[in-house]
Amino acid sequence: MGHVVIDVMLKPEILDPQGQAVNGALPRLGFEQFTDVRQGKRFVLTVDGEVTDEVLAAAREAAEKLLSNPVIEDVVSVRAAAADVDDDQDPGQ
């Protein structure tokens, strides 16, 4: 079983109120080293078998047509997960 990880972010010119709220809270919690926060979303798609170039192409198409709003969001990453994915593990690691 393979997994495809898709990351979607707001376009840079789109206001990100959730990111701004987190950015404002970080210094109050003692995290002074961060200067900006942008919020996005991640999808993990599971496929039977290996993640092939064809699977990645289909995932990118799905991301552009269904998983993102192309008016305000960019699909920034479509990749095979580096390890098995379970509920407690980040699929990008």
Side-chain angles (χ1 to χ4, degrees), residues 21-68:
V22 171
N23 193 47
L26 286 170
R28 290 192 302 270
L29 296 172
F31 299 102
E32 305 274 339
Q33 63 270 50
F34 305 107
T35 59
D36 191 33
V37 177
R38 298 290 291 178
Q39 179 265 333
K41 54 189 175 183
R42 173 174 285 178
F43 298 91
V44 178
L45 308 179
T46 303
V47 297
D48 289 329
E50 294 184 35
V51 177
T52 64
D53 288 342
E54 292 79 20
V55 168
L56 289 172
R60 177 162 291 282
E61 185 176 0
E64 292 170 352
K65 289 185 176 181
L66 177 66
L67 304 178
S68 68

